[in-house]
Amino acid sequence: KIAIVHCGVDPELYDGPKTKTDRTNMLFVGRLAPEKGVRVLLDALEHSVKTVSDLQLTIVGDGPDRTELETMVREKGLNDHVIFTGYLAPHDVAKQLAAADIFVLPSFAEGVPVSLMEAMASRVPVIAPRVAGVQELVEDGVSGFCVAPGHVEMLRESIETLASDYDL
């Protein structure tokens, strides 16, 4: 019997030391397109920074929505809380994960996302949507939180829960 694994990650790439800063670092890695839900994440962040003022979101990736998302950040007054890096090579993504406190994937549709596997290999708690193969990776309330796709309030609550309890 043969098992085929179509995607995966090299755990050794994500086994480096964790780095801690004076901010709560959230990370999104993915294509900047509507189906990835970054607009929903920015809506949630707009409310979360009122409760957790040290939140920092790093957005790794590029795509057709980047200009619109950058405009949205400015309009929401989130310039001090959001960094766009553009596309990064895998070893640079691993460095971002080493500095992350929370990994957020607010997508509307996913298969079994590699970025989620990378975050979990880095031992970063995740917030991900209840879609397709995500629930095969994320045990809700144990390795992270699963939220309804597009649900700003659930996403906000999960962000604030993880941001306010470092041990969790």
Side-chain angles (χ1 to χ4, degrees), residues 140-162:
D140 191 35
V142 177
S143 53
F145 293 112
C146 289
V147 299
H151 200 292
V152 174
E153 188 62 21
M154 284 181 78
L155 185 57
R156 182 198 61 78
E157 288 173 4
S158 296
I159 289 168
E160 291 175 16
T161 297
L162 287 174

Side-chain angles (χ1 to χ4, degrees), residues 106-120:
S107 299
F108 293 100
E110 288 288 344
V112 181
V114 172
S115 64
L116 196 55
M117 290 184 231
E118 292 169 338
M120 295 177 80

Side-chain angles (χ1 to χ4, degrees), residues 18-19 25 27 29 58 60 85 88 91-101:
K18 297 297 286 177
T19 56
N25 294 306
L27 181 64
V29 178
T58 301
V60 175
T85 68
L88 294 178
H91 68 277
D92 290 322
V93 171
K95 288 178 186 176
Q96 291 289 334
L97 284 163
D101 299 303

Side-chain angles (χ1 to χ4, degrees), residues 52-90:
V52 185
S53 61
D54 72 339
L55 280 174
Q56 177 76 49
L57 171 62
T58 301
I59 297 175
V60 175
D62 219 331
D65 276 6
R66 181 166 178 171
T67 302
E68 185 177 331
L69 293 169
E70 289 172 332
T71 299
M72 190 175 177
V73 165
R74 283 190 301 278
E75 288 173 352
K76 290 181 174 296
L78 295 172
N79 291 329
D80 294 337
H81 299 277
V82 180
I83 298 169
F84 288 86
T85 68
Y87 171 81
L88 294 178

